[in-house]
């Protein structure tokens, strides 16, 4: 659900649509020229009745066939000119408008990449998807038609009315009779339609969410035999949307009825009144013909106002929905210039954008993180040798100082997820983080790369406050493997090298795969070039976990955060990964969430998380002896020691 299902009462469609100006600005000249062309085309149509008048009062009255033919030729030429001009308008707007749509979509995507995790926790993905697709399409259609034609039709109606008044002002007043009721209907319609349009677009978002979830969760749905109830729930949503769409259609029909009927009645009245005047020789037949053809020519501009207004209303809603996402604050507004971030995003092809922020920069101290097993020359080379940073920080490891954290959407009176965390992970040390399920381990690890912001307290990396570092730099220092190993629709190599610097290639890939015991990748059909992820080969849970681990270690990060990275591996593979990781971890400061004693044994020390605090720190064996809760957590599974 989107958190803000805005009421449309207070808003003005025009003010909302004005927010599109920055996107429309670059194409404003083309759009204006196109509008001008359309106005000329439309007014060309209004000349036709005048030619008719000339024909009726001239050649037809004088029975002059040559004159009639000439008039017909004029009419033909005018018709062709009108058609050509409208064609030119279409050609003028098509290309620039597709640019506008593409630009807005790319900006939305880039923005989504930079929004904090907390935002994505709150928003259903279908709502975001529908904004990036349906809503943007509505906006393009608005810029192509209603925006131009509300203006064009307005001018045409004005010119037409002036022509009619000039022909005969009494008939003109008869035609103008329905103006007030029609305008009144339009105003009422606008307000009502806005609410229903918003509802419909939100419901499309809900449907998108359900479709997306059921595609992702198809195994669960089938496994639990829930396909019927799922289909029923979906049908229910579709029915609701259908109801809303029918309400829209109903309103459109009503306004259409008024807009068509009233002018039609007025034209009938004008015809009657005009005929009487012609019969009494107070009006020429040609003038009446011209008058009525002008009135008929104005029928379409008047009738179309109904759906043009409807489309504008939908576009205003779409704009509102689009900017609800765009207005959400990006992370790093405090310390990272968003221009820098968008520049970074722009460098990578779409599927890799998500990783762009994690892509490490070459920085001080990076190269002494070389994997020992890879035979690095001197892993203890002074850090300042090879980095652009002016001074390398003193190694100090990771420090949590009185850190408190509460999820932004948690009830204000609930206890914070993490309260008073004090923890020091020494440089080069690997610390296991143990705690009951739901105790906040994942939450704590997410604070280090600032996926969530600590509510209070301080976290430092080598003595530097993480909030004082640009996020890009922070995330180049910290590599993570998450509980849920996610692979993108890309090759194995691309997935793993997301965690490395730009220049990294085959050797780094091979080393990382070896550390993570993911050598199976070489045996895949196209080796490390095999496509995986949703559009590629399906891998087992343990295989995906090992690739995610390879991604975490491939950049030889200074700080490594692993959230239960080996949970899906069998004991032997786990032991092999551990042995290889031990080599890597010798130089890296690591925090490893662990449930199994076998994973815990990988670490130098263990921290026990309980009740939102770190209640004990020590070696596995110390804690086993001295801490009952720890012994309880580890008992039953301790089959290795
Ligand atoms: N995005 C979120 N918004 C609100 N509350 C959350 C969010 N994510 C987790 N929580 C809550 O925070 C608490 C800690 O969750 P967390 O995922 O950190 O636990 P964990 O120790 O990693 O558990 P596990 O061992 O099962 O992985 C839980 O009570 C959970 O319900
Ligand atoms: Mg967890």
């Amino acid at each position: 659900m989107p958190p803000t299902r805005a009421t449309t009462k207070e808003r003005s469609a025009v003010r909302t649509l004005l927010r599109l100006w920055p996107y429309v600005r670059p194409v404003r000249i083309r759009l204006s020229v196109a509008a001008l062309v359309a106005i000329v085309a439309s007014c060309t149509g209004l000349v036709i009745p005048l030619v008719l008048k000339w024909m009726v009062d001239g050649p037809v009255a004088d029975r002059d066939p040559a004159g009639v033919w000439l008039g017909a030729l004029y009419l033909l030429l005018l018709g062709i000119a009108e058609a050509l001009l409208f064609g030119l308008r279409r050609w003028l707007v098509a290309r620039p408008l597709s640019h506008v749509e593409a630009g807005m979509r790319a900006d939305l995507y880039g923005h989504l990449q930079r929004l904090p995790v907390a935002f994505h926790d709150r928003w259903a993905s279908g709502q975001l998807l529908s904004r990036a697709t349906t809503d943007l399409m509505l906006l393009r259609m608005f810029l192509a038609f209603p925006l131009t034609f509300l203006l064009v039709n307005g001018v045409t109606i004005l010119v037409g009315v002036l022509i009619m008044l000039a022909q005969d002002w009494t008939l003109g007043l008869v035609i103008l009779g329905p103006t007030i009721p029609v305008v009144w209907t339009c105003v009422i319609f606008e307000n009502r339609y806005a609410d229903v349009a918003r509802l419909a677009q939100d419901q499309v978002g809900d449907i998108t969410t359900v479709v997306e979830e059921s595609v992702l969760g198809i195994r669960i749905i089938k496994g639990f035999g829930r396909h019927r109830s799922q289909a029923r729930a979906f049908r229910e949503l579709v029915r609701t949307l259908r109801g809303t769409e029918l309400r829209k259609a109903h309103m459109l029909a009503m306004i259409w009825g008024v807009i068509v009927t009233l002018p039609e009645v007025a034209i009938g009245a004008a015809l009657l009144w005009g005929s009487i005047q012609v019969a009494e020789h107070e009006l020429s037949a040609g003038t009446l013909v011209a008058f009525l053809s002008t009135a008929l020519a104005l029928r379409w501009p008047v009738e179309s106002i109904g759906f043009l207004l409807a489309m504008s209303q939908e576009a205003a809603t779409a704009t509102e929905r689009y900017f609800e996402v765009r207005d959400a604050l990006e992370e790093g507004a405090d310390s990272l210039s968003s221009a820098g971030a968008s520049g970074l995003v722009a460098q990578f092809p779409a599927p890799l954008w998500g990783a762009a922020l994690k892509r490490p920069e070459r920085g001080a101290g990076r190269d002494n993180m070389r994997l020992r097993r890879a035979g690095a020359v001197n892993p203890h080379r002074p850090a300042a040798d090879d980095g652009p940073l002016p001074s390398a920080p003193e190694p100090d490891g990771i420090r949590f100082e009185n850190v408190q954290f509460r999820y932004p959407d948690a009830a204000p009176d609930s206890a914070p997820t993490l309260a008073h965390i004090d923890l020091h992970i020494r440089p080069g040390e690997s610390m296991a983080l143990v705690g009951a399920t739901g105790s906040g381990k994942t939450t704590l690890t997410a604070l280090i790369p600032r996926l969530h912001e600590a509510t209070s307290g301080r976290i430092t990396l080598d003595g530097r406050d993480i909030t004082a570092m640009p996020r890009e730099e922070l995330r180049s220092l910290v590599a993570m493997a998450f509980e849920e190993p996610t692979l993108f629709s890309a090759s194995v190599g691309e997935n793993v090298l997301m965690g490395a610097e730009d220049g990294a290639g085959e050797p780094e890939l091979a080393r990382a795969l070896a550390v993570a015991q993911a050598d199976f990748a070489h045996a895949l059909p196209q080796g490390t070039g095999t496509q995986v992820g949703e559009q590629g080969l399906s891998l087992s849970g343990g295989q995906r976990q090992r690739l995610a681990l390879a991604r975490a270690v491939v950049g030889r990060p200074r700080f490594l955060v692993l959230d239960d990275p080996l949970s899906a591996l069998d004991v032997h593979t786990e032991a092999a990964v551990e042995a290889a990781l031990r080599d890597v971890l010798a130089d890296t400061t690591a925090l490893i969430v662990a449930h199994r004693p076998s994973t815990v044994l990988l670490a130098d020390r263990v921290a026990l998380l309980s009740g939102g605090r770190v209640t004990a720190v020590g070696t596995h064996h110390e804690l086993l002896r001295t801490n009952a809760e720890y012994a309880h957590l580890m008992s039953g599974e301790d089959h290795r020691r």
Side-chain angles (χ1 to χ4, degrees):
M1 293 290 123
T4 45
R5 197 153 273 200
T7 60
T8 41
K9 293 277 182 293
E10 299 292 320
R11 71 134 205 237
S12 126
V14 176
R15 206 172 323 128
T16 311
L17 287 168
L18 276 179
R19 296 201 63 185
L20 296 174
W21 179 240
Y23 288 99
V24 176
R25 225 178 90 87
V27 299
R28 64 190 186 282
I29 296 180
R30 273 234 181 183
L31 276 188
S32 316
V33 173
L36 207 66
V37 169
I39 289 176
V40 174
S42 195
C43 291
T44 310
L46 290 181
V47 179
I48 292 177
L50 299 181
V51 176
L52 277 177
K53 171 182 174 165
W54 171 80
M55 280 171 74
V56 171
D57 284 349
V60 172
D62 304 343
R63 303 189 183 280
D64 164 20
V68 173
W69 277 109
L70 186 67
L73 182 67
Y74 285 154
L75 289 180
L76 182 68
L77 288 178
L78 280 172
I80 292 176
E82 190 184 350
L84 285 180
L85 285 170
F86 273 122
L88 174 66
R89 183 206 81 88
R90 264 229 112 109
W91 178 81
L92 277 172
V93 297
R95 187 187 286 257
L97 288 186
S98 59
H99 273 297
V100 170
E101 189 189 8
M104 289 184 77
R105 188 167 282 142
D107 281 358
L108 183 67
Y109 188 83
H111 184 70
L112 285 176
Q113 301 299 310
R114 296 190 293 275
L115 282 172
V117 174
F119 172 89
H120 290 281
D121 282 351
R122 262 181 301 134
W123 279 69
S125 49
Q127 285 294 348
L128 300 177
L129 266 178
S130 64
R131 276 157 225 245
T133 50
T134 325
D135 287 323
L136 283 181
M137 192 195 66
L138 284 173
L139 284 182
R140 178 173 44 89
M141 274 164 46
F142 165 72
L143 295 176
F145 285 105
L147 180 63
T148 317
F149 277 96
L150 279 175
L151 175 73
V152 173
N153 291 357
V155 174
T156 310
I157 293 171
L158 194 70
V159 173
V161 166
L162 288 180
I163 290 179
M164 288 193 291
L165 284 173
Q167 304 285 343
D168 186 292
W169 67 270
T170 45
L171 283 182
L173 287 185
V174 172
I175 285 283
L176 280 181
T179 311
I180 291 174
V182 165
V183 168
W184 182 71
T185 317
C186 284
V187 170
I188 297 206
F189 167 78
E190 274 288 277
N191 289 335
R192 297 225 178 124
Y193 196 77
D195 289 340
V196 189
R198 170 79 208 200
L199 193 63
Q201 273 151 273
D202 283 343
Q203 285 170 352
V204 169
D206 292 345
I207 289 185
T208 317
T209 305
V210 170
V211 171
E212 206 223 353
E213 277 181 356
S214 40
V215 169
L216 289 179
I218 190 69
R219 285 184 187 80
I220 299 165
I221 293 171
K222 281 189 180 299
F224 285 88
R226 303 304 295 190
H227 52 277
R228 268 203 201 86
S229 57
Q230 191 72 13
R232 210 176 311 124
F234 183 76
R235 246 198 321 272
E236 190 55 37
L237 276 180
V238 172
R239 222 169 49 89
T240 316
L241 177 63
R242 180 170 155 266
T244 316
E245 289 292 343
L246 279 179
R247 265 170 69 198
K248 271 167 71 178
H250 192 70
M251 284 185 183
L252 260 179
M254 270 186 11
I255 189 175
W256 192 278
V258 172
I259 285 184
V260 170
T261 315
L262 288 186
E264 213 82 345
V265 170
I267 290 177
L271 177 63
L272 201 67
W273 176 239
S275 307
I276 295 172
Q277 279 187 311
V278 172
E280 291 174 357
H281 298 289
E282 282 170 16
L283 193 70
S284 77
T287 309
L288 182 60
V289 168
F291 185 91
L292 289 176
S293 352
T294 310
L296 291 177
L298 290 189
R299 254 168 57 170
W300 170 245
V302 171
E303 284 172 11
S304 63
I305 281 183
F307 80 76
L308 290 179
L309 284 180
M311 279 173 84
S312 310
Q313 225 15 288
E314 277 165 12
T317 307
T319 312
E320 196 176 81
R321 281 165 48 88
Y322 178 83
F323 281 104
E324 271 169 21
V325 178
R326 290 297 309 275
D327 289 345
L329 277 191
E330 289 181 7
E331 62 176 4
D334 48 356
S335 56
L336 175 69
S337 79
S338 65
S342 62
L344 189 75
V345 164
Q347 287 170 20
F348 299 101
L352 300 181
W353 286 3
L357 290 176
K358 282 186 63 198
R359 198 170 276 261
E361 301 266 326
R362 199 172 280 279
R366 294 208 50 77
D367 278 2
N368 60 6
M369 291 302 110
R370 223 170 268 286
L371 308 187
R372 262 201 222 147
R373 71 191 335 264
V377 193
N378 177 8
H380 301 293
R381 190 149 38 103
D385 265 355
D386 53 326
L389 285 187
S391 60
E394 273 295 299
D396 181 52
I398 306 175
R399 262 181 208 278
F400 285 76
E401 290 170 10
N402 199 12
V403 171
Q404 196 191 39
F405 178 77
R406 177 199 297 279
Y407 277 102
D409 51 355
D413 52 345
S414 63
T417 311
L418 300 174
H420 308 299
I421 300 285
D422 281 300
L423 186 64
H424 181 206
I425 309 163
R426 300 178 193 129
E429 180 182 40
S430 50
M431 168 90 70
L433 185 64
V434 172
T437 173
S439 56
K441 304 180 294 296
T442 300
T443 308
L444 189 145
T445 57
L447 297 183
I448 301 176
R450 289 178 72 191
L451 296 181
H452 289 294
E453 302 283 346
T455 315
S456 65
R458 219 162 80 99
I459 302 173
T460 59
L461 297 183
D462 284 343
R464 293 173 67 198
D465 193 325
I466 56 168
T467 54
M469 279 186 223
R471 275 193 177 73
E472 255 172 272
E473 186 193 345
L474 171 65
R475 288 168 189 177
S476 74
L477 291 174
V478 182
M480 294 198 77
F482 298 90
E483 258 172 324
E484 212 19 72
T486 303
L487 297 180
F488 293 90
S489 292
S491 71
V492 169
E494 283 167 327
N495 265 293
V496 172
L497 287 173
M498 268 178 191
E501 350 185 327
D502 275 344
E506 280 302 317
E508 286 85 356
L509 175 62
R511 228 171 315 166
L513 290 176
V515 170
Q517 298 297 305
D519 291 306
F520 70 87
H522 299 294
L524 292 175
Q526 284 97 40
T528 53
T530 308
Q531 291 286 315
V532 290
E534 216 178 327
Q535 290 168 23
L537 191 74
S538 292
L539 297 175
S540 79
Q543 285 172 330
R544 279 188 287 135
Q545 234 176 22
R546 278 176 283 161
L547 289 184
L549 186 63
R551 171 158 62 204
V553 298
V554 69
R556 304 166 204 143
R558 189 163 178 73
F559 301 96
L560 187 62
V561 178
L562 303 178
D563 194 353
D564 211 6
L566 310 174
S567 60
L569 304 191
D570 63 75
V571 185
H572 303 292
T573 314
E574 187 187 4
V577 175
E578 272 171 39
L581 264 184
R582 237 185 263 276
D583 274 349
V584 185
L585 296 186
D587 290 324
T588 299
T589 307
L591 182 63
I592 304 163
V593 174
H595 279 117
R596 299 197 279 188
S598 48
T599 322
V600 172
L601 285 167
L602 174 67
D604 301 315
R605 289 192 300 161
V606 187
L608 176 65
L609 188 61
S610 172
R613 292 161 184 267
V614 174
T615 50
V617 180
T619 65
H620 173 62
H621 295 292
E622 276 169 21
L623 292 191
L624 267 188
R625 273 200 317 276
T626 57
N627 191 300
E629 186 184 354
Y630 184 76
H632 175 70
L633 276 174
M634 289 289 139
S635 65
E637 282 191 69
D638 194 354
H639 48 270
R640 299 191 56 196
R641 259 173 230 205

